[in-house]
Amino acid sequence: MRRPAFKFRWSATVALLVVNVVAFIIQSAVERFSNFQTDRYLALSVGGLREGFVWQLLTYQFMHGGPIHLILNCWMIYVFGREVEETLGRLNFLTLYFTSGIIGGLFQALAGLLPFEAFAHPVVGASAGASGLLAAFATLYPERPLMMLLFFIIPVNMRAKFLLLFGGLVTLFGLVYPMGNIAHAAHLGGMLTGIVFVR
């Protein structure tokens, strides 16, 4: 999105970015210098929820699998979060973000009950919340033109509603043909929450 000028100001969006970065630094330090099992207690897993670790639905949103994972999620939060926050207000913005993360986590946990190993791994990341912001943005501004960099190189112009449609199709494809450690069910839950929240 092209904005007329860059003006830094503290907002809930910026606060989320700072908290995510600080949490990743703490996570990295704990994993390197202690024996604390972050995946067992803080990452989201079916096993953890069965043990009563319900806080995982919140803590997994502040953990990341590496610097690239963190950067991509923070980029999505920054790009879509600013205008969503301006439109909905700070409290509704935060409610949307964390609700998307929690419901996305529940979707992922339900997928983990399926007899497929791809959904059984612990999940970390702010992707569900970020997906909720993307869906909310596309629902609020469906005709807004966006310029995306395909493979971070090729510029592609599309309207927000088509970006959401593309993201939804990729997520559904990932659910049917799971590859890698991508939490597609969490993304889907986040997107649906963003749409329902705005409507």
Side-chain angles (χ1 to χ4, degrees):
M1 291 178 295
R2 293 186 178 92
R3 294 174 69 90
F6 174 79
K7 183 179 180 182
F8 177 83
R9 65 182 180 86
W10 281 102
S11 62
T13 302
V14 173
L16 277 179
L17 299 178
V18 172
V19 171
N20 271 289
V21 171
V22 171
F24 178 71
I25 293 171
I26 294 172
Q27 172 195 343
S28 301
V30 169
E31 290 176 348
R32 181 168 184 179
F33 299 111
S34 78
N35 295 321
F36 183 77
Q37 301 176 36
T38 55
D39 275 355
R40 180 183 176 189
Y41 294 107
L42 302 179
L44 179 64
S45 66
V46 174
L49 293 178
R50 282 175 173 166
E51 290 186 66
F53 303 158
V54 292
W55 58 81
Q56 290 181 349
L57 289 167
L58 181 64
T59 56
Y60 92 98
Q61 300 182 50
F62 294 102
M63 299 176 65
H64 286 86
I68 300 300
H69 190 202
L70 173 69
I71 290 170
L72 290 176
N73 280 333
C74 285
W75 176 81
M76 280 187 65
I77 292 170
Y78 179 72
V79 168
F80 299 109
R82 293 172 298 165
E83 291 207 34
V84 171
E85 181 182 358
E86 288 176 7
T87 302
L88 299 182
R90 182 175 298 178
L91 180 59
N92 283 329
F93 167 80
L94 291 172
T95 302
L96 163 65
Y97 177 81
F98 287 112
T99 302
S100 297
I102 291 171
I103 293 179
L106 291 173
F107 268 58
Q108 188 66 30
L110 289 173
L113 297 175
L114 299 174
F116 299 108
E117 187 178 347
F119 299 115
H121 303 290
V123 173
V124 296
S127 303
S131 295
L133 295 179
L134 164 61
F137 180 91
T139 304
L140 289 166
Y141 314 108
E143 302 298 330
R144 178 72 63 86
L146 303 173
M147 194 273 287
M148 310 300 295
L149 291 177
L150 188 63
F151 305 116
F152 301 99
I153 300 173
I154 306 170
V156 177
N157 291 303
M158 68 175 68
R159 297 193 184 277
K161 62 184 179 183
F162 294 122
L163 176 61
L164 177 59
L165 177 61
F166 176 75
L169 291 175
V170 169
T171 296
L172 291 174
F173 181 84
L175 287 172
V176 177
Y177 301 101
M179 294 180 291
N181 291 325
I182 301 175
H184 292 290
H187 297 174
L188 178 62
M191 289 180 187
L192 293 176
T193 303
I195 295 170
V196 171
F197 189 94
V198 169
R199 291 195 178 281

